[in-house]
Amino acid sequence: MIRYIIRRLLISIPILLIGSFACYVLVATAGNPLAEMRFRPGVTEADIKAAEIALGLDQPVIVRYWNWLTDFLSGDWGQSIALGQAKTAVFPAVTDALWTTGRLVIGAELLALTLGVSVGVLAAVRQYSIFDYLATSTAFLMFSMPIFCVAVIVKNYGIQFNNVLESMGLDRWLTTAGPRPGGFSGSFGEVIFKYTGTFLLPTLALMLISFAAYSRFERASMLEILHSDFVRTARAKGISQGRVIFKHAFRNALIPVATLFSLNFGAVLSGAIITETVFGWSGMGTLLVNSVRQFDPPMLMGWLAVTATLIVLFNLFADIVYGVLDPRIRLG
């Protein structure tokens, strides 16, 4: 297993290098971050040329990429160069945005995975039952609704619930516009109260969409495994239904869900743009939109580098899970 993990790690390194170079070339050739300077009064060609030299824009792309890569690996991610904006260091901006999004995504994805797998297994075992029809209908409903629609509905119900609490003389509990100001302080009970009230609505919105995908994938995979030859053989030997399901079928049925989870988690962690916008959170999605709108290459490359690393890491995680679930994969 150790050799299998090391082999996967070694494969991930050139993938990251190739991906970072492709992203850098795309960003470098997408436009000129100093183009707006030409339309500013009093700015001469000499000023523009000096700015290009200061930012290294006069050098070939391959040289600029090498300089960026060496600085990036040494911890120097550069500064924002968006015109008209305050100079912001890329590293703290990206890490703060990642922490903001991560707090939403981690809870949502873990809840969605737990509930989705549980519902999918139960729906497959009780195929064509009332529970199966309800689970399938709920999943299809979540699939058919855009994420912004789900987020707006969840936010609206949260506002109405706060209004009910206020009419009863109680404090408003659910936060519907950004993180709670002032952080979380007070007794343990007060911290839990504030924490759940802050994260519940955006976490629920993200969880509902992912839950639908996980439950459908798990149900389909479980049904395929339950109708396979080795499960029929296990039942013919007189093995109990519970042991057949959890020891023989469940483990194999998790492999497709592990793929979906790794891809979905990395993608959502890179920026839940719509959910962050609806609930007023400034995370990775907001950072991406601002970087593109202002065409800020250093900030955009910081976002792309972190995103690519996350996706590769979660694909590596999926490969490791494959090896744990099915020894034939790591021995192949």
Side-chain angles (χ1 to χ4, degrees):
M1 187 65 185
I2 298 298
R3 285 183 296 178
Y4 173 76
I5 295 175
I6 293 175
R7 190 165 64 245
R8 286 291 181 265
L9 279 171
L10 293 177
I11 294 174
S12 300
I13 294 174
I15 291 176
L16 279 174
L17 290 175
I18 295 172
S20 65
F21 178 72
C23 290
Y24 193 91
V25 171
L26 289 173
V27 172
T29 57
N32 184 0
L34 303 179
E36 292 184 9
M37 288 186 65
R38 299 182 182 277
F39 302 99
R40 293 187 173 188
V43 177
T44 64
E45 288 294 329
D47 295 331
I48 298 175
K49 187 65 176 179
E52 288 179 349
I53 295 174
L55 296 174
L57 299 178
D58 59 323
Q59 299 176 345
V61 173
I62 187 66
V63 175
R64 288 154 56 188
Y65 168 73
W66 176 253
N67 293 334
W68 171 84
L69 181 63
T70 53
D71 290 340
F72 184 85
L73 294 177
S74 64
D76 181 11
W77 293 18
Q79 285 190 333
S80 167
I81 61 172
L83 296 177
Q85 302 292 328
K87 300 303 180 183
T88 304
V90 173
F91 180 79
V94 174
T95 52
D96 288 346
L98 183 62
W99 170 242
T100 299
T101 301
R103 288 184 293 172
L104 296 178
V105 172
I106 291 174
E109 287 298 303
L110 292 179
L111 283 173
L113 181 66
T114 303
L115 293 176
V117 168
S118 302
V119 170
V121 170
L122 192 56
V125 172
R126 299 184 178 180
Q127 188 181 17
Y128 303 132
S129 65
I130 295 178
F131 178 84
D132 184 24
Y133 286 125
L134 287 175
T136 301
S137 300
T138 302
F140 280 131
L141 177 63
M142 292 296 101
F143 271 131
S144 63
M145 296 177 64
I147 179 61
F148 73 86
C149 186
V150 175
V152 168
I153 291 174
V154 169
K155 181 176 181 177
N156 183 56
Y157 276 111
I159 294 173
Q160 293 183 18
F161 182 77
N162 281 337
N163 293 337
V164 172
L165 292 178
E166 199 170 39
S167 65
M168 297 170 60
L170 302 174
D171 293 333
R172 300 175 74 86
W173 175 41
L174 300 174
T175 303
T176 57
R180 181 184 291 269
F184 308 106
S185 59
S187 64
F188 179 76
E190 291 175 339
V191 170
I192 295 298
F193 179 81
K194 294 176 182 178
Y195 190 91
T196 53
T198 300
F199 288 95
L200 181 61
L201 295 181
T203 298
L204 182 61
L206 287 172
M207 186 269 290
L208 288 174
I209 300 297
S210 297
F211 161 78
Y214 295 144
S215 64
R216 293 305 300 163
F217 268 76
E218 181 64 22
R219 180 185 180 276
S221 180
M222 194 70 179
L223 283 175
E224 181 180 358
I225 298 298
L226 289 175
H227 291 90
S228 60
D229 292 337
F230 76 93
V231 171
R232 293 194 188 97
T233 302
R235 285 172 172 164
K237 291 180 178 180
I239 299 177
S240 64
Q241 176 74 348
R243 191 174 179 186
V244 168
I245 292 173
F246 292 103
K247 185 175 182 180
H248 295 279
F250 178 67
R251 185 170 178 172
N252 290 278
L254 281 178
I255 294 178
V257 180
T259 304
L260 178 64
F261 176 76
S262 63
L263 296 176
N264 191 56
F265 198 105
V268 176
L269 194 59
S270 302
I273 300 176
I274 297 175
T275 304
E276 291 176 6
T277 302
V278 171
F279 290 98
W281 286 71
S282 298
M284 291 291 281
T286 305
L287 182 68
L288 172 63
V289 172
N290 292 337
S291 299
V292 173
R293 184 173 62 242
Q294 299 166 0
F295 193 63
D296 188 355
M299 193 69 72
L300 193 55
M301 276 306 303
W303 184 93
L304 288 170
V306 171
T307 299
T309 303
L310 287 173
I311 292 176
V312 170
L313 286 177
F314 280 104
N315 276 274
L316 176 64
F317 168 78
D319 289 339
I320 295 173
V321 172
Y322 297 158
V324 172
L325 295 176
D326 191 346
R328 296 172 299 177
I329 294 177
R330 66 173 182 263
L331 295 175

